[in-house]
Amino acid sequence: MTDERNIVSAPRLWLVLARAHGSIVDFIEGAITAQGLGISDFMVMEVLLHKGPLTISVIGEKVLLASASMTSAIDRLEKRSLVRRRSCNSDRRIRLVELTAEGKSFIEEIYARHEKDLEFVMAGLSEEERRTMYEGLKTVGLAAKSAVPTQKRKTA
């Protein structure tokens, strides 16, 4: 006889995943705002740190922010002299956003703290559990991306 509490149904798994995500987001947002940055500003600076100068539209695609939100975040960061807009050398029509020296130093320090905060949250997982979660979440994400909700499926 199986104990129903040991069965991890898809709805139960979704609920645990959603709650864990919410808790992690709250923790990380609190840590980032304590450093004087909003989460959108952090995401913009983080992508510039790791990818180098990018157009506003490419930054938006990478951090999943709408164009208006992107412009506002970049305006805030530019006012603080953390980023600057410049024309592309090969095509003057293209405007790139890049970190200033002050911005690079600032985000490197905050990102290092961010990594430590995430390691703290994940410390209870073994390397094998991390690998299993990573592979499982990737599989679920890809499945969700290509899935069609049952309400839209045609029945025979």
Side-chain angles (χ1 to χ4, degrees):
M1 185 167 148
T2 56
D3 185 351
E4 284 191 23
R5 290 172 296 180
N6 292 331
I7 296 172
V8 182
S9 66
R12 186 172 177 203
L13 184 57
W14 161 246
L15 184 61
V16 169
L17 178 62
R19 286 181 175 162
H21 176 265
S23 296
I24 293 168
V25 167
D26 289 347
F27 172 72
I28 293 301
E29 282 183 352
I32 288 169
T33 56
Q35 302 302 314
L37 268 186
I39 193 73
S40 298
D41 298 0
F42 171 80
M43 290 188 308
V44 168
M45 292 188 76
E46 187 270 336
V47 77
L48 292 172
L49 175 67
H50 292 104
K51 301 292 183 187
L54 299 169
T55 63
I56 291 176
S57 59
V58 171
I59 297 169
E61 290 169 15
K62 298 227 180 266
V63 300
L64 306 175
L65 286 175
S67 183
S69 299
M70 284 299 310
T71 302
S72 296
I74 291 166
D75 287 347
R76 284 190 302 273
L77 294 168
E78 199 169 35
K79 269 186 196 159
R80 293 178 63 182
S81 300
L82 298 173
V83 302
R84 71 175 145 254
R85 292 176 172 102
R86 69 169 172 84
S87 295
C88 177
N89 294 334
S90 61
D91 186 343
R92 306 278 301 154
R93 295 171 297 175
I94 298 173
R95 301 277 294 160
L96 295 171
V97 179
E98 65 184 1
L99 293 170
T100 61
E102 181 183 346
K104 187 172 190 295
S105 169
F106 182 69
I107 192 61
E108 284 175 339
E109 180 182 331
I110 289 177
Y111 190 78
R113 290 180 188 179
H114 174 67
E115 281 183 315
K116 286 179 185 170
D117 289 340
L118 287 173
E119 286 297 337
F120 175 78
V121 169
M122 306 293 175
L125 297 171
S126 69
E127 188 57 41
E128 183 180 340
E129 289 170 321
R130 285 184 185 207
R131 174 66 48 204
T132 301
M133 280 186 71
Y134 176 85
E135 291 170 0
L137 290 171
K138 195 168 185 175
T139 299
V140 169
L142 291 170
K145 200 171 192 171
S146 64
V148 176
T150 55
Q151 292 87 345
K152 292 185 180 179
R153 290 189 189 142
K154 293 186 179 187
T155 54

